[in-house]
Amino acid sequence: MGFIVYLNGKFVPEEEAKVSVFDHGFLYGDGVFEGIRAYHGCIFKLQEHIRRLYDSAKAINLEISLTQEEMMEIVKETCRKNNLKDSYIRLIVSRGKGDLGLDPRKCANPSIICIAASISLYPPELYQTGLSVITVPTRRNIAEGVNPRIKSLNYLNNIMARMEATLAGVEEAILLTQEGYVAECTGDNIFMVRDGVIKTPAIHLGMLEGVTRNSVIELAKKRGIVVEETVLTRFDFFTADECWLTGTAAELIPVVNIDGRPIGSGKPGPMFAALLEDYREVVKHEGSQI
Ligand code: PXG
């Protein structure tokens, strides 16, 4: 059975959920989105995701006529309509239908789409064995171009990096900033541990401020672990005791090899294991009831 999709004020079967070929989201990647997850009928960090969506929209001068409360209700209603307790939710706001020119003023109404689908999880064994990743030649977008803090519909930067990782035979890519500092992976933020201190790249270097990243920082601090948001190089990661990635889909996933160097013991570390357990506990009962 197909999914029921929210499209511009209506709930329609997925076959009928169509947008115009003149939609600037399609023509130019002109729009923003969110990837949200529901666990056991609870949507995790819904308010944070909606806030980030509105911040992204604000940054590209895209005015959303709905309030953040109304948008949260749409997300919940989409989950209810699909009778999904565990799901991956994709919320999209594009500039809307315009003409073939770039001018966003020609787009009268943004297109608002909410999809709640079943989630395809990473194979469980990856959480035991860990990922091998490489740094790729493609650099993360510069803030003065398309600011990586905007979760925009243009993911070519990330897709190019992901292709480079795939061609090299690994699962993920580390993107560096223009200056050569570690930024993030293609759809996940990155963490490391050295001498009991957790470190992760500071947001102002140019990356997406992950909701999962912020949750993990909070959980680590609750455990009394020092967390530094700082400037990190490949050297820092090569010589780390542990490394993992964070994202809505992946949760926390361990990295055991970077550019051919085994990280720490070459196996997922104890800090990773503890924080994954904390995270999986917190998603069970925190969150907005569907
Ligand atoms: N960085 C980037 C560039 C992302 O796109 C994250 C970090 C993690 O953010 P959250 O808020 O989820 O902790 C993301 C988000 C996918 C997929 O299908 C993943 C994302 C976006 C789009 C698709 O793997 N991750």
Side-chain angles (χ1 to χ4, degrees):
M1 206 193 75
F3 295 110
I4 301 290
V5 174
Y6 173 88
L7 173 66
N8 299 328
K10 292 194 185 108
F11 288 95
V12 296
E14 64 173 82
E15 301 75 32
E16 290 167 34
K18 291 178 179 156
V19 292
S20 166
V21 292
F22 291 96
D23 193 303
H24 281 208
F26 175 71
L27 286 175
Y28 298 116
D30 184 357
V32 294
F33 77 102
E34 276 299 318
I36 313 170
R37 198 159 157 184
Y39 293 88
H40 317 294
C42 269
I43 305 173
F44 189 59
K45 300 279 180 197
L46 178 58
Q47 215 167 342
E48 286 78 356
H49 281 286
I50 299 298
R51 182 150 197 241
R52 188 172 65 183
L53 180 79
Y54 278 70
D55 286 346
S56 292
K58 186 78 188 279
I60 67 162
N61 242 322
L62 174 55
E63 204 178 317
I64 306 174
S65 56
L66 303 169
T67 64
Q68 295 197 25
E69 287 69 30
E70 287 166 335
M71 193 64 91
M72 286 195 270
E73 195 44 44
I74 287 170
V75 172
K76 289 183 190 177
E77 187 60 20
T78 309
C79 290
R80 287 194 286 263
K81 288 256 190 276
N82 287 282
N83 210 3
L84 286 167
K85 299 241 177 297
D86 292 274
S87 66
Y88 187 68
I89 301 152
R90 178 60 54 92
L91 187 54
I92 303 147
V93 183
S94 81
R95 190 77 63 181
K97 189 176 166 208
D99 62 20
L100 288 178
L102 282 174
D103 191 350
R105 290 174 304 181
K106 301 281 168 61
C107 308
N109 299 109
S111 301
I112 303 176
I113 297 158
C114 185
I115 308 165
S118 32
I119 178 151
S120 57
L121 296 170
Y122 284 78
E125 58 271 18
L126 271 189
Y127 294 84
Q128 307 292 327
T129 55
L131 297 175
S132 291
V133 307
I134 57 162
T135 24
V136 290
T138 293
R139 295 285 170 110
R140 193 70 176 104
N141 282 336
I142 59 167
E144 298 77 10
V146 179
N147 195 323
R149 293 196 64 177
I150 303 167
K151 203 162 163 66
S152 91
L153 286 181
N154 191 324
Y155 254 53
L156 268 183
N157 182 217
N158 314 58
I159 290 163
M160 305 255 286
R162 178 67 72 88
M163 271 193 298
E164 286 160 356
T166 308
L167 287 170
V170 298
E171 295 96 343
E172 249 301 350
I174 294 177
L175 289 120
L176 305 178
T177 66
Q178 204 58 32
E179 297 74 28
Y181 299 118
V182 171
E184 60 180 334
C185 290
T186 64
D188 295 294
N189 293 110
I190 190 162
F191 282 75
M192 55 158 281
V193 178
R194 169 92 174 186
D195 296 335
V197 175
I198 292 180
K199 300 180 192 202
T200 191
I203 292 302
H204 71 261
L205 294 173
M207 73 210 67
L208 188 75
E209 185 174 355
V211 171
T212 320
R213 172 190 184 275
N214 290 348
S215 303
V216 168
I217 291 174
E218 204 181 305
L219 290 169
K221 287 183 176 167
K222 265 197 196 138
R223 275 187 177 259
I225 304 164
V226 177
V227 182
E228 290 178 2
E229 296 176 61
T230 183
V231 179
L232 298 166
T233 62
R234 292 169 74 222
F235 178 88
D236 294 310
F237 278 86
F238 293 158
T239 55
D241 301 321
E242 294 188 37
C243 175
W244 65 80
L245 312 181
T246 64
T248 297
E251 303 181 315
L252 288 81
I253 196 149
V255 170
V256 294
N257 193 294
I258 302 176
D259 294 333
R261 284 87 161 168
I263 302 307
S265 65
K267 293 201 172 77
M271 205 86 99
F272 158 77
L275 288 168
L276 177 60
E277 200 179 306
D278 288 357
Y279 187 81
R280 288 194 167 154
E281 198 50 43
V282 101
V283 297
K284 272 192 211 160
H285 28 251
E286 250 185 41
S288 317
Q289 207 73 37
I290 290 168

